[in-house]
Amino acid sequence: MALGTVCAKSSVVCLDFITQRKEVLYSLLSVTMYSCADLLIYYLKDRFHMFVIFTWISAGIFTASAIDGVVRRSPLPLGDRRKVIGLLAINSLLSSASELVTTLANVLATPGDTVAIINTAPTVVFVLSVLFLGDPFTLAGISFSVLSVIGVALVTQPPILVGTLVGDISNEYITGVSLAGGGGGSAIIEAVLVIMYRFIGNYDIPPVYVTLFNGLLCLPLGLTPCNVFDVWSTPHSIGEVFALSSTGVAWYLAVTSLYLAVKEKQRPVCVITLMTSEVVIVMIGQYLLFRVENTWIGYIGALLIMVACIGIEVSGNAVDDPADENEEAHPIIEKTS
Protein backbone atom coordinates (compact mmCIF):
# COMPACT_ATOMS: atom_id res chain seq x y z
CA MET A 1 0.00 0.00 0.00
CA ALA A 2 2.80 2.38 0.96
CA LEU A 3 4.68 1.50 -2.22
CA GLY A 4 1.59 2.27 -4.31
CA THR A 5 1.25 5.66 -2.62
CA VAL A 6 4.91 6.47 -3.29
CA CYS A 7 4.56 5.48 -6.97
CA ALA A 8 1.39 7.57 -7.30
CA LYS A 9 3.08 10.61 -5.76
CA SER A 10 6.14 10.12 -7.98
CA SER A 11 3.91 9.96 -11.06
CA VAL A 12 2.19 13.19 -10.05
CA VAL A 13 5.56 14.91 -9.50
CA CYS A 14 6.83 13.74 -12.90
CA LEU A 15 3.62 14.87 -14.60
CA ASP A 16 3.83 18.27 -12.92
CA PHE A 17 7.44 18.63 -14.03
CA ILE A 18 6.56 17.74 -17.63
CA THR A 19 3.64 20.19 -17.59
CA GLN A 20 5.62 23.04 -16.06
CA ARG A 21 8.90 22.44 -17.88
CA LYS A 22 7.83 21.62 -21.41
CA GLU A 23 10.60 23.85 -22.77
CA VAL A 24 13.20 21.49 -21.25
CA LEU A 25 11.73 18.47 -23.03
CA TYR A 26 11.39 20.36 -26.31
CA SER A 27 14.98 21.58 -26.01
CA LEU A 28 16.32 18.09 -25.32
CA LEU A 29 14.40 16.70 -28.30
CA SER A 30 15.77 19.48 -30.50
CA VAL A 31 19.31 18.84 -29.25
CA THR A 32 19.00 15.12 -29.99
CA MET A 33 17.64 15.68 -33.50
CA TYR A 34 20.25 18.33 -34.37
CA SER A 35 22.97 15.97 -33.15
CA CYS A 36 21.65 13.16 -35.33
CA ALA A 37 21.55 15.48 -38.33
CA ASP A 38 25.11 16.73 -37.72
CA LEU A 39 26.50 13.20 -37.46
CA LEU A 40 24.57 12.04 -40.53
CA ILE A 41 25.94 14.95 -42.56
CA TYR A 42 29.47 14.01 -41.55
CA TYR A 43 28.78 10.39 -42.47
CA LEU A 44 27.43 11.39 -45.90
CA LYS A 45 30.09 13.94 -46.79
CA ASP A 46 32.37 11.40 -48.53
CA ARG A 47 29.46 9.98 -50.52
CA PHE A 48 27.67 13.09 -51.78
CA HIS A 49 28.47 16.71 -52.58
CA MET A 50 27.53 19.14 -49.81
CA PHE A 51 24.89 20.82 -52.00
CA VAL A 52 23.27 17.44 -52.65
CA ILE A 53 23.10 16.78 -48.91
CA PHE A 54 21.59 20.23 -48.35
CA THR A 55 18.97 19.58 -51.06
CA TRP A 56 17.92 16.32 -49.42
CA ILE A 57 17.66 18.09 -46.05
CA SER A 58 15.45 20.75 -47.66
CA ALA A 59 13.29 18.10 -49.32
CA GLY A 60 12.91 16.27 -46.00
CA ILE A 61 11.86 19.44 -44.19
CA PHE A 62 9.34 20.35 -46.90
CA THR A 63 7.88 16.83 -47.17
CA ALA A 64 7.53 16.36 -43.41
CA SER A 65 5.94 19.82 -43.09
CA ALA A 66 3.50 19.12 -45.94
CA ILE A 67 2.43 15.82 -44.37
CA ASP A 68 2.07 17.49 -40.97
CA GLY A 69 -0.03 20.27 -42.52
CA VAL A 70 -2.36 17.84 -44.30
CA VAL A 71 -2.83 15.68 -41.19
CA ARG A 72 -3.33 18.47 -38.65
CA ARG A 73 -4.90 21.13 -40.91
CA SER A 74 -3.52 23.89 -38.68
CA PRO A 75 -4.88 27.30 -39.79
CA LEU A 76 -2.87 30.50 -39.80
CA PRO A 77 -3.94 32.71 -36.86
CA LEU A 78 -6.48 35.43 -37.55
CA GLY A 79 -5.26 39.01 -37.50
CA ASP A 80 -2.66 40.79 -39.55
CA ARG A 81 -1.92 38.10 -42.14
CA ARG A 82 0.50 40.37 -43.96
CA LYS A 83 2.65 40.82 -40.86
CA VAL A 84 2.51 37.10 -40.08
CA ILE A 85 3.59 36.14 -43.60
CA GLY A 86 6.34 38.77 -43.45
CA LEU A 87 7.69 37.28 -40.21
CA LEU A 88 7.58 33.78 -41.71
CA ALA A 89 9.40 34.99 -44.84
CA ILE A 90 12.18 36.64 -42.79
CA ASN A 91 12.43 33.54 -40.62
CA SER A 92 12.69 31.28 -43.66
CA LEU A 93 15.55 33.39 -45.03
CA LEU A 94 17.43 33.11 -41.73
CA SER A 95 16.65 29.39 -41.41
CA SER A 96 17.81 28.68 -44.95
CA ALA A 97 21.06 30.54 -44.36
CA SER A 98 21.60 28.70 -41.06
CA GLU A 99 20.96 25.27 -42.61
CA LEU A 100 23.20 25.98 -45.58
CA VAL A 101 26.22 27.25 -43.66
CA THR A 102 25.83 24.57 -40.97
CA THR A 103 25.75 21.84 -43.63
CA LEU A 104 28.83 23.26 -45.34
CA ALA A 105 30.64 23.67 -42.01
CA ASN A 106 29.93 20.05 -41.01
CA VAL A 107 31.31 18.87 -44.35
CA LEU A 108 34.42 21.07 -44.36
CA ALA A 109 35.28 20.77 -40.65
CA THR A 110 34.07 18.17 -38.12
CA PRO A 111 30.70 17.98 -36.32
CA GLY A 112 32.33 18.50 -32.92
CA ASP A 113 34.20 21.65 -33.88
CA THR A 114 31.24 22.99 -35.85
CA VAL A 115 28.76 22.41 -33.02
CA ALA A 116 31.17 23.88 -30.46
CA ILE A 117 31.53 27.13 -32.36
CA ILE A 118 27.84 27.40 -33.21
CA ASN A 119 27.00 26.93 -29.54
CA THR A 120 28.75 30.15 -28.61
CA ALA A 121 25.36 31.62 -29.59
CA PRO A 122 24.01 31.92 -25.98
CA THR A 123 26.08 35.03 -25.33
CA VAL A 124 24.73 36.69 -28.49
CA VAL A 125 21.18 35.66 -27.60
CA PHE A 126 21.61 37.03 -24.07
CA VAL A 127 22.62 40.45 -25.40
CA LEU A 128 19.85 40.51 -28.04
CA SER A 129 17.24 39.43 -25.46
CA VAL A 130 18.21 42.27 -23.15
CA LEU A 131 18.25 44.84 -25.97
CA PHE A 132 15.13 43.85 -27.94
CA LEU A 133 12.95 41.67 -25.69
CA GLY A 134 13.36 43.46 -22.37
CA ASP A 135 14.75 40.41 -20.58
CA PRO A 136 16.45 41.23 -17.26
CA PHE A 137 20.23 41.77 -17.33
CA THR A 138 21.26 39.43 -14.53
CA LEU A 139 24.69 38.44 -13.34
CA ALA A 140 23.60 34.79 -13.35
CA GLY A 141 22.44 35.04 -16.95
CA ILE A 142 25.70 36.44 -18.28
CA SER A 143 27.78 34.13 -16.07
CA PHE A 144 26.13 30.93 -17.22
CA SER A 145 26.13 32.08 -20.85
CA VAL A 146 29.88 32.69 -20.71
CA LEU A 147 30.37 29.39 -18.86
CA SER A 148 28.63 27.50 -21.66
CA VAL A 149 30.93 29.14 -24.23
CA ILE A 150 34.00 28.12 -22.20
CA GLY A 151 32.60 24.61 -21.90
CA VAL A 152 32.10 24.06 -25.62
CA ALA A 153 35.61 25.37 -26.30
CA LEU A 154 37.14 22.93 -23.80
CA VAL A 155 35.14 19.97 -25.09
CA THR A 156 36.24 20.19 -28.71
CA GLN A 157 39.40 22.31 -28.43
CA PRO A 158 39.30 23.48 -32.06
CA PRO A 159 42.88 23.98 -33.29
CA ILE A 160 42.08 27.49 -34.45
CA LEU A 161 41.14 28.38 -30.84
CA VAL A 162 44.04 26.70 -28.99
CA GLY A 163 47.03 28.18 -30.74
CA THR A 164 47.75 25.86 -33.65
CA LEU A 165 49.53 27.76 -36.42
CA VAL A 166 47.18 28.78 -39.22
CA GLY A 167 49.66 27.35 -41.73
CA ASP A 168 49.15 23.90 -40.19
CA ILE A 169 45.39 24.06 -40.67
CA SER A 170 43.75 23.15 -43.98
CA ASN A 171 41.88 25.78 -45.94
CA GLU A 172 38.77 23.60 -45.80
CA TYR A 173 38.89 23.55 -42.00
CA ILE A 174 39.35 27.33 -41.78
CA THR A 175 36.41 27.82 -44.16
CA GLY A 176 34.29 25.41 -42.12
CA VAL A 177 34.85 27.08 -38.75
CA SER A 178 34.44 30.51 -40.37
CA LEU A 179 31.04 29.46 -41.65
CA ALA A 180 30.17 28.09 -38.22
CA GLY A 181 31.02 31.18 -36.23
CA GLY A 182 32.77 33.99 -38.06
CA GLY A 183 31.05 37.15 -39.25
CA GLY A 184 27.65 36.18 -40.54
CA GLY A 185 28.29 32.58 -39.59
CA SER A 186 25.81 30.06 -38.27
CA ALA A 187 26.36 31.01 -34.60
CA ILE A 188 25.21 34.58 -35.23
CA ILE A 189 22.38 33.51 -37.54
CA GLU A 190 21.22 30.92 -34.99
CA ALA A 191 21.14 33.58 -32.27
CA VAL A 192 19.03 35.94 -34.39
CA LEU A 193 16.81 33.03 -35.44
CA VAL A 194 15.98 32.12 -31.84
CA ILE A 195 14.98 35.74 -31.19
CA MET A 196 12.77 35.56 -34.30
CA TYR A 197 11.03 32.49 -32.87
CA ARG A 198 10.02 34.60 -29.88
CA PHE A 199 8.33 37.18 -32.12
CA ILE A 200 6.65 34.50 -34.27
CA GLY A 201 5.47 32.65 -31.17
CA ASN A 202 3.71 35.78 -29.94
CA TYR A 203 1.34 35.44 -32.91
CA ASP A 204 0.61 31.81 -31.97
CA ILE A 205 1.74 30.57 -35.39
CA PRO A 206 1.72 26.74 -35.65
CA PRO A 207 5.23 25.31 -36.11
CA VAL A 208 4.25 23.61 -39.39
CA TYR A 209 4.20 27.00 -41.14
CA VAL A 210 7.66 27.83 -39.80
CA THR A 211 9.14 24.67 -41.32
CA LEU A 212 6.97 24.73 -44.47
CA PHE A 213 8.13 28.22 -45.47
CA ASN A 214 11.66 27.13 -44.65
CA GLY A 215 11.46 24.08 -46.90
CA LEU A 216 9.92 26.07 -49.77
CA LEU A 217 12.89 28.46 -49.81
CA CYS A 218 15.60 25.86 -49.15
CA LEU A 219 14.65 23.55 -52.03
CA PRO A 220 15.51 25.95 -54.88
CA LEU A 221 18.49 27.17 -52.86
CA GLY A 222 19.87 23.62 -52.94
CA LEU A 223 18.79 22.57 -56.42
CA THR A 224 20.23 25.64 -58.17
CA PRO A 225 23.93 25.08 -57.28
CA CYS A 226 23.51 21.33 -57.91
CA ASN A 227 22.49 22.08 -61.49
CA VAL A 228 24.85 25.02 -62.04
CA PHE A 229 27.93 23.12 -60.84
CA ASP A 230 26.66 19.75 -62.14
CA VAL A 231 27.28 17.97 -58.85
CA TRP A 232 23.97 16.13 -58.53
CA SER A 233 24.23 12.41 -57.78
CA THR A 234 21.63 9.82 -56.84
CA PRO A 235 21.92 7.37 -53.93
CA HIS A 236 22.92 3.84 -54.91
CA SER A 237 21.45 1.91 -51.97
CA ILE A 238 18.52 1.86 -49.60
CA GLY A 239 20.92 2.72 -46.78
CA GLU A 240 22.00 5.94 -48.49
CA VAL A 241 18.38 6.90 -49.21
CA PHE A 242 17.51 6.25 -45.58
CA ALA A 243 20.47 8.31 -44.30
CA LEU A 244 19.69 11.26 -46.58
CA SER A 245 15.98 11.19 -45.76
CA SER A 246 16.62 10.80 -42.04
CA THR A 247 18.83 13.89 -42.06
CA GLY A 248 15.98 16.01 -43.41
CA VAL A 249 13.40 14.56 -41.01
CA ALA A 250 15.77 15.01 -38.06
CA TRP A 251 16.29 18.64 -39.01
CA TYR A 252 12.53 19.16 -39.33
CA LEU A 253 11.96 17.74 -35.83
CA ALA A 254 14.85 19.80 -34.43
CA VAL A 255 13.51 23.09 -35.81
CA THR A 256 9.96 22.30 -34.69
CA SER A 257 11.08 21.42 -31.17
CA LEU A 258 13.31 24.49 -30.85
CA TYR A 259 10.48 26.78 -31.95
CA LEU A 260 8.08 25.18 -29.45
CA ALA A 261 10.68 25.48 -26.68
CA VAL A 262 11.14 29.22 -27.28
CA LYS A 263 7.39 29.71 -27.62
CA GLU A 264 6.78 27.85 -24.34
CA LYS A 265 9.54 29.51 -22.32
CA GLN A 266 9.38 33.02 -23.81
CA ARG A 267 13.01 33.48 -22.74
CA PRO A 268 15.28 32.55 -25.67
CA VAL A 269 18.50 32.75 -23.64
CA CYS A 270 17.34 29.90 -21.38
CA VAL A 271 16.47 27.69 -24.35
CA ILE A 272 19.62 28.37 -26.37
CA THR A 273 21.81 27.67 -23.33
CA LEU A 274 20.07 24.33 -22.80
CA MET A 275 20.90 23.64 -26.46
CA THR A 276 24.63 23.74 -25.71
CA SER A 277 24.29 20.19 -24.41
CA GLU A 278 24.32 19.23 -28.11
CA VAL A 279 28.12 19.39 -27.90
CA VAL A 280 28.21 16.50 -25.44
CA ILE A 281 25.90 14.32 -27.55
CA VAL A 282 27.87 15.01 -30.74
CA MET A 283 31.18 14.25 -29.05
CA ILE A 284 29.85 10.93 -27.74
CA GLY A 285 28.43 10.16 -31.20
CA GLN A 286 31.73 11.02 -32.87
CA TYR A 287 33.58 8.60 -30.61
CA LEU A 288 31.11 5.74 -31.00
CA LEU A 289 30.65 6.09 -34.75
CA PHE A 290 33.95 7.53 -36.01
CA ARG A 291 36.31 6.75 -33.11
CA VAL A 292 37.17 10.42 -32.56
CA GLU A 293 38.61 10.48 -29.03
CA ASN A 294 38.56 13.35 -26.52
CA THR A 295 40.87 14.42 -23.66
CA TRP A 296 40.30 14.97 -19.96
CA ILE A 297 40.04 18.69 -20.69
CA GLY A 298 37.10 17.87 -22.93
CA TYR A 299 35.31 16.07 -20.12
CA ILE A 300 35.80 19.12 -17.88
CA GLY A 301 34.21 21.17 -20.65
CA ALA A 302 31.27 18.78 -20.79
CA LEU A 303 30.79 19.21 -17.04
CA LEU A 304 30.82 23.01 -17.43
CA ILE A 305 28.18 22.75 -20.13
CA MET A 306 25.92 20.73 -17.86
CA VAL A 307 26.42 23.22 -15.01
CA ALA A 308 25.57 26.08 -17.37
CA CYS A 309 22.44 24.30 -18.65
CA ILE A 310 21.15 23.60 -15.15
CA GLY A 311 22.16 27.02 -13.83
CA ILE A 312 20.53 29.01 -16.61
CA GLU A 313 17.29 27.06 -16.19
CA VAL A 314 17.24 27.51 -12.39
CA SER A 315 18.14 31.21 -12.57
CA GLY A 316 15.59 31.78 -15.34
CA ASN A 317 12.82 30.23 -13.24
CA ALA A 318 13.93 32.27 -10.23
CA VAL A 319 13.52 35.44 -12.28
CA ASP A 320 10.09 34.35 -13.52
CA ASP A 321 8.67 33.19 -10.18
CA PRO A 322 8.45 36.56 -8.36
CA ALA A 323 6.29 37.96 -11.15
CA ASP A 324 4.02 34.93 -11.03
CA GLU A 325 3.70 35.20 -7.27
CA ASN A 326 2.96 38.92 -7.58
CA GLU A 327 0.14 38.25 -10.02
CA GLU A 328 -1.37 35.64 -7.72
CA ALA A 329 -1.03 37.88 -4.65
CA HIS A 330 -2.84 40.88 -6.20
CA PRO A 331 -5.60 39.58 -8.45
CA ILE A 332 -8.06 42.29 -7.31
CA ILE A 333 -5.70 45.10 -8.31
CA GLU A 334 -5.29 43.59 -11.74
CA LYS A 335 -9.05 43.29 -12.25
CA THR A 336 -9.93 46.76 -10.98
CA SER A 337 -7.32 48.38 -13.16
Side-chain angles (χ1 to χ4, degrees):
M1 191 72 176
L3 180 61
T5 304
V6 171
C7 292
K9 289 183 178 180
S10 300
S11 300
V12 171
V13 171
C14 292
L15 185 60
D16 288 342
F17 176 82
I18 293 173
T19 303
Q20 298 173 10
R21 297 289 183 267
K22 289 181 180 178
E23 75 282 355
V24 177
L25 298 178
Y26 286 137
S27 298
L28 292 177
L29 177 59
S30 182
V31 163
T32 303
M33 291 298 102
Y34 270 131
S35 300
C36 291
D38 290 331
L39 293 169
L40 282 168
I41 291 170
Y42 190 72
Y43 166 76
L44 293 165
K45 74 170 189 172
D46 294 327
R47 294 166 172 79
F48 300 95
H49 193 275
M50 51 191 170
F51 288 126
V52 175
I53 299 173
F54 175 73
T55 303
W56 274 85
I57 292 174
S58 306
I61 293 172
F62 176 76
T63 303
S65 302
I67 294 173
D68 187 8
V70 170
V71 172
R72 296 193 186 187
R73 299 179 181 272
S74 304
L76 269 175
L78 298 175
D80 193 343
R81 291 288 181 92
R82 186 174 298 178
K83 184 177 290 185
V84 168
I85 293 175
L87 283 173
L88 288 172
I90 295 172
N91 176 77
S92 65
L93 287 171
L94 289 171
S95 296
S96 301
S98 176
E99 288 160 24
L100 179 59
V101 297
T102 301
T103 301
L104 301 185
N106 273 316
V107 169
L108 297 173
T110 64
D113 293 355
T114 299
V115 169
I117 297 172
I118 290 175
N119 276 286
T120 57
T123 302
V124 182
V125 173
F126 179 78
V127 174
L128 294 177
S129 296
V130 171
L131 293 177
F132 298 107
L133 301 180
D135 280 3
F137 185 88
T138 62
L139 179 61
I142 190 64
S143 299
F144 287 122
S145 295
V146 172
L147 188 65
S148 70
V149 174
I150 296 172
V152 294
L154 290 178
V155 166
T156 56
Q157 304 166 61
I160 201 170
L161 297 180
V162 295
T164 302
L165 295 176
V166 175
D168 297 333
I169 305 173
S170 68
N171 291 331
E172 282 191 355
Y173 180 85
I174 294 175
T175 303
V177 296
S178 298
L179 287 170
S186 189
I188 297 173
I189 297 172
E190 189 72 17
V192 177
L193 193 59
V194 171
I195 299 297
M196 278 294 302
Y197 286 161
R198 165 73 182 273
F199 286 112
I200 294 173
N202 288 338
Y203 286 89
D204 201 26
I205 299 173
V208 63
Y209 290 102
V210 175
T211 53
L212 185 63
F213 273 66
N214 183 11
L216 280 172
L217 183 62
C218 283
L219 264 178
L221 192 61
L223 288 170
T224 300
C226 284
N227 292 323
V228 170
F229 299 111
D230 194 23
V231 294
W232 181 259
S233 60
T234 55
H236 300 291
S237 67
I238 296 177
E240 290 181 347
V241 172
F242 179 77
L244 288 165
S245 302
S246 298
T247 307
V249 174
W251 207 295
Y252 159 78
L253 292 172
V255 172
T256 300
S257 302
L258 179 56
Y259 169 71
L260 290 173
V262 175
K263 184 181 177 184
E264 187 73 28
K265 183 64 178 177
Q266 290 289 298
R267 293 197 64 205
V269 68
C270 295
V271 174
I272 199 65
T273 305
L274 286 170
M275 295 291 292
T276 58
S277 57
E278 179 186 358
V279 179
V280 180
I281 298 176
V282 170
M283 294 306 295
I284 293 174
Q286 275 193 162
Y287 175 75
L288 294 177
L289 297 174
F290 310 117
R291 287 295 180 260
V292 178
E293 297 183 0
N294 211 330
T295 64
W296 62 271
I297 296 178
Y299 293 115
I300 292 177
L303 179 62
L304 293 181
I305 292 170
M306 293 302 179
V307 171
C309 290
I310 296 171
I312 202 73
E313 177 66 16
V314 172
S315 63
N317 292 326
V319 170
D320 292 339
D321 286 344
D324 296 337
E325 291 173 4
N326 200 34
E327 288 178 5
E328 293 176 3
H330 304 285
I332 298 177
I333 297 176
E334 190 173 318
K335 289 179 182 178
T336 54
S337 60

Tab-separated table of all heavy atoms in Angstrom, residues 89-122:
chain	number	residue	atom	x	y	z
A	89	ALA	N	8.451	34.849	-43.720
A	89	ALA	CA	9.395	34.991	-44.838
A	89	ALA	C	10.794	35.332	-44.326
A	89	ALA	O	11.793	34.754	-44.772
A	89	ALA	CB	8.906	36.069	-45.801
A	90	ILE	N	10.875	36.276	-43.367
A	90	ILE	CA	12.178	36.640	-42.793
A	90	ILE	C	12.791	35.443	-42.074
A	90	ILE	O	13.989	35.164	-42.197
A	90	ILE	CB	12.025	37.831	-41.819
A	90	ILE	CG1	11.574	39.078	-42.582
A	90	ILE	CG2	13.339	38.101	-41.089
A	90	ILE	CD1	11.216	40.241	-41.681
A	91	ASN	N	11.952	34.723	-41.328
A	91	ASN	CA	12.430	33.544	-40.616
A	91	ASN	C	12.947	32.477	-41.576
A	91	ASN	O	13.968	31.836	-41.311
A	91	ASN	CB	11.306	32.967	-39.767
A	91	ASN	CG	11.697	31.685	-39.067
A	91	ASN	OD1	12.404	31.689	-38.072
A	91	ASN	ND2	11.242	30.561	-39.601
A	92	SER	N	12.254	32.295	-42.699
A	92	SER	CA	12.687	31.284	-43.663
A	92	SER	C	14.022	31.656	-44.292
A	92	SER	O	14.858	30.785	-44.564
A	92	SER	CB	11.627	31.089	-44.750
A	92	SER	OG	11.456	32.252	-45.526
A	93	LEU	N	14.257	32.947	-44.505
A	93	LEU	CA	15.554	33.393	-45.028
A	93	LEU	C	16.670	33.064	-44.037
A	93	LEU	O	17.729	32.553	-44.417
A	93	LEU	CB	15.522	34.893	-45.319
A	93	LEU	CG	14.729	35.346	-46.544
A	93	LEU	CD1	14.610	36.869	-46.567
A	93	LEU	CD2	15.406	34.858	-47.823
A	94	LEU	N	16.429	33.383	-42.762
A	94	LEU	CA	17.432	33.110	-41.733
A	94	LEU	C	17.647	31.601	-41.574
A	94	LEU	O	18.788	31.130	-41.461
A	94	LEU	CB	16.977	33.716	-40.403
A	94	LEU	CG	16.997	35.238	-40.298
A	94	LEU	CD1	16.314	35.694	-39.014
A	94	LEU	CD2	18.420	35.770	-40.353
A	95	SER	N	16.549	30.836	-41.575
A	95	SER	CA	16.654	29.385	-41.408
A	95	SER	C	17.415	28.754	-42.564
A	95	SER	O	18.254	27.866	-42.365
A	95	SER	CB	15.260	28.758	-41.315
A	95	SER	OG	14.581	29.207	-40.170
A	96	SER	N	17.125	29.218	-43.774
A	96	SER	CA	17.812	28.683	-44.952
A	96	SER	C	19.306	28.958	-44.876
A	96	SER	O	20.131	28.086	-45.171
A	96	SER	CB	17.233	29.298	-46.232
A	96	SER	OG	15.852	29.032	-46.339
A	97	ALA	N	19.641	30.187	-44.484
A	97	ALA	CA	21.059	30.542	-44.358
A	97	ALA	C	21.729	29.695	-43.280
A	97	ALA	O	22.851	29.198	-43.464
A	97	ALA	CB	21.192	32.027	-44.030
A	98	SER	N	21.035	29.498	-42.152
A	98	SER	CA	21.597	28.697	-41.061
A	98	SER	C	21.826	27.251	-41.496
A	98	SER	O	22.886	26.673	-41.233
A	98	SER	CB	20.653	28.740	-39.857
A	98	SER	OG	21.113	27.904	-38.824
A	99	GLU	N	20.841	26.668	-42.173
A	99	GLU	CA	20.964	25.275	-42.606
A	99	GLU	C	22.080	25.104	-43.634
A	99	GLU	O	22.837	24.124	-43.595
A	99	GLU	CB	19.636	24.795	-43.185
A	99	GLU	CG	18.567	24.594	-42.122
A	99	GLU	CD	17.175	24.600	-42.708
A	99	GLU	OE1	17.033	24.304	-43.904
A	99	GLU	OE2	16.212	24.903	-41.969
A	100	LEU	N	22.177	26.077	-44.536
A	100	LEU	CA	23.195	25.980	-45.583
A	100	LEU	C	24.598	26.068	-45.003
A	100	LEU	O	25.450	25.203	-45.278
A	100	LEU	CB	22.990	27.075	-46.629
A	100	LEU	CG	23.994	27.111	-47.786
A	100	LEU	CD1	23.973	25.795	-48.555
A	100	LEU	CD2	23.708	28.275	-48.723
A	101	VAL	N	24.861	27.085	-44.185
A	101	VAL	CA	26.221	27.255	-43.659
A	101	VAL	C	26.567	26.162	-42.657
A	101	VAL	O	27.724	25.742	-42.562
A	101	VAL	CB	26.409	28.656	-43.019
A	101	VAL	CG1	26.244	29.754	-44.049
A	101	VAL	CG2	25.460	28.880	-41.855
A	102	THR	N	25.562	25.664	-41.902
A	102	THR	CA	25.834	24.570	-40.969
A	102	THR	C	26.179	23.287	-41.718
A	102	THR	O	27.099	22.556	-41.330
A	102	THR	CB	24.627	24.319	-40.045
A	102	THR	OG1	24.336	25.514	-39.317
A	102	THR	CG2	24.915	23.200	-39.063
A	103	THR	N	25.450	23.012	-42.809
A	103	THR	CA	25.753	21.836	-43.629
A	103	THR	C	27.160	21.929	-44.206
A	103	THR	O	27.945	20.973	-44.131
A	103	THR	CB	24.737	21.707	-44.782
A	103	THR	OG1	23.419	21.592	-44.228
A	103	THR	CG2	25.032	20.471	-45.624
A	104	LEU	N	27.493	23.081	-44.760
A	104	LEU	CA	28.825	23.262	-45.344
A	104	LEU	C	29.906	23.146	-44.270
A	104	LEU	O	30.964	22.551	-44.499
A	104	LEU	CB	28.918	24.615	-46.048
A	104	LEU	CG	27.932	24.872	-47.191
A	104	LEU	CD1	28.224	26.202	-47.863
A	104	LEU	CD2	27.971	23.751	-48.219
A	105	ALA	N	29.650	23.720	-43.094
A	105	ALA	CA	30.641	23.666	-42.008
A	105	ALA	C	30.866	22.239	-41.532
A	105	ALA	O	32.002	21.823	-41.267
A	105	ALA	CB	30.183	24.545	-40.847
A	106	ASN	N	29.793	21.451	-41.425
A	106	ASN	CA	29.933	20.048	-41.007
A	106	ASN	C	30.727	19.234	-42.019
A	106	ASN	O	31.444	18.294	-41.653
A	106	ASN	CB	28.547	19.415	-40.821
A	106	ASN	CG	27.985	19.646	-39.432
A	106	ASN	OD1	28.683	19.513	-38.439
A	106	ASN	ND2	26.721	20.017	-39.361
A	107	VAL	N	30.581	19.581	-43.296
A	107	VAL	CA	31.311	18.871	-44.346
A	107	VAL	C	32.778	19.268	-44.359
A	107	VAL	O	33.675	18.430	-44.469
A	107	VAL	CB	30.667	19.134	-45.722
A	107	VAL	CG1	31.563	18.617	-46.844
A	107	VAL	CG2	29.297	18.477	-45.807
A	108	LEU	N	33.051	20.567	-44.228
A	108	LEU	CA	34.417	21.069	-44.355
A	108	LEU	C	35.233	20.900	-43.077
A	108	LEU	O	36.450	20.712	-43.134
A	108	LEU	CB	34.386	22.551	-44.761
A	108	LEU	CG	33.749	22.840	-46.130
A	108	LEU	CD1	33.628	24.338	-46.350
A	108	LEU	CD2	34.552	22.201	-47.253
A	109	ALA	N	34.575	20.977	-41.922
A	109	ALA	CA	35.280	20.774	-40.651
A	109	ALA	C	34.807	19.438	-40.065
A	109	ALA	O	34.656	18.474	-40.789
A	109	ALA	CB	34.991	21.944	-39.707
A	110	THR	N	34.610	19.367	-38.756
A	110	THR	CA	34.069	18.167	-38.121
A	110	THR	C	32.827	18.570	-37.328
A	110	THR	O	32.694	19.732	-36.927
A	110	THR	CB	35.085	17.525	-37.162
A	110	THR	OG1	35.350	18.445	-36.089
A	110	THR	CG2	36.367	17.183	-37.883
A	111	PRO	N	31.903	17.628	-37.077
A	111	PRO	CA	30.704	17.982	-36.324
A	111	PRO	C	31.004	18.573	-34.955
A	111	PRO	O	30.355	19.530	-34.532
A	111	PRO	CB	29.965	16.637	-36.195
A	111	PRO	CG	30.441	15.830	-37.341
A	111	PRO	CD	31.874	16.236	-37.547
A	112	GLY	N	32.008	18.009	-34.255
A	112	GLY	CA	32.329	18.502	-32.922
A	112	GLY	C	32.767	19.950	-32.932
A	112	GLY	O	32.277	20.779	-32.155
A	113	ASP	N	33.705	20.278	-33.808
A	113	ASP	CA	34.197	21.653	-33.875
A	113	ASP	C	33.100	22.603	-34.340
A	113	ASP	O	32.955	23.722	-33.832
A	113	ASP	CB	35.385	21.736	-34.834
A	113	ASP	CG	36.602	20.984	-34.296
A	113	ASP	OD1	36.516	20.499	-33.149
A	113	ASP	OD2	37.602	20.886	-35.006
A	114	THR	N	32.325	22.158	-35.331
A	114	THR	CA	31.241	22.995	-35.845
A	114	THR	C	30.211	23.290	-34.764
A	114	THR	O	29.822	24.446	-34.551
A	114	THR	CB	30.548	22.299	-37.039
A	114	THR	OG1	31.500	22.114	-38.083
A	114	THR	CG2	29.387	23.133	-37.549
A	115	VAL	N	29.768	22.244	-34.067
A	115	VAL	CA	28.763	22.412	-33.022
A	115	VAL	C	29.303	23.267	-31.887
A	115	VAL	O	28.587	24.102	-31.322
A	115	VAL	CB	28.311	21.035	-32.497
A	115	VAL	CG1	27.479	21.174	-31.241
A	115	VAL	CG2	27.510	20.308	-33.565
A	116	ALA	N	30.576	23.092	-31.540
A	116	ALA	CA	31.172	23.881	-30.461
A	116	ALA	C	31.126	25.366	-30.773
A	116	ALA	O	30.733	26.184	-29.937
A	116	ALA	CB	32.618	23.448	-30.228
A	117	ILE	N	31.488	25.714	-32.000
A	117	ILE	CA	31.534	27.132	-32.358
A	117	ILE	C	30.129	27.704	-32.496
A	117	ILE	O	29.856	28.830	-32.061
A	117	ILE	CB	32.343	27.321	-33.660
A	117	ILE	CG1	33.787	26.879	-33.424
A	117	ILE	CG2	32.307	28.770	-34.110
A	117	ILE	CD1	34.634	26.837	-34.669
A	118	ILE	N	29.216	26.924	-33.083
A	118	ILE	CA	27.836	27.396	-33.212
A	118	ILE	C	27.222	27.634	-31.836
A	118	ILE	O	26.445	28.575	-31.642
A	118	ILE	CB	26.989	26.382	-34.008
A	118	ILE	CG1	27.423	26.372	-35.473
A	118	ILE	CG2	25.505	26.712	-33.910
A	118	ILE	CD1	26.740	25.314	-36.312
A	119	ASN	N	27.592	26.806	-30.862
A	119	ASN	CA	26.998	26.926	-29.537
A	119	ASN	C	27.633	28.005	-28.676
A	119	ASN	O	27.423	28.025	-27.453
A	119	ASN	CB	27.046	25.570	-28.825
A	119	ASN	CG	25.873	24.700	-29.224
A	119	ASN	OD1	24.741	24.930	-28.813
A	119	ASN	ND2	26.129	23.721	-30.058
A	120	THR	N	28.390	28.911	-29.301
A	120	THR	CA	28.746	30.150	-28.611
A	120	THR	C	27.595	31.153	-28.727
A	120	THR	O	27.690	32.266	-28.213
A	120	THR	CB	30.022	30.769	-29.208
A	120	THR	OG1	29.830	30.996	-30.609
A	120	THR	CG2	31.213	29.855	-29.013
A	121	ALA	N	26.510	30.740	-29.375
A	121	ALA	CA	25.357	31.621	-29.588
A	121	ALA	C	24.691	32.130	-28.309
A	121	ALA	O	24.104	33.218	-28.341
A	121	ALA	CB	24.321	30.908	-30.459
A	122	PRO	N	24.712	31.411	-27.162
A	122	PRO	CA	24.005	31.923	-25.982
A	122	PRO	C	24.391	33.333	-25.579
A	122	PRO	O	23.536	34.111	-25.136
A	122	PRO	CB	24.393	30.915	-24.883
A	122	PRO	CG	24.607	29.645	-25.615
A	122	PRO	CD	25.215	30.038	-26.931
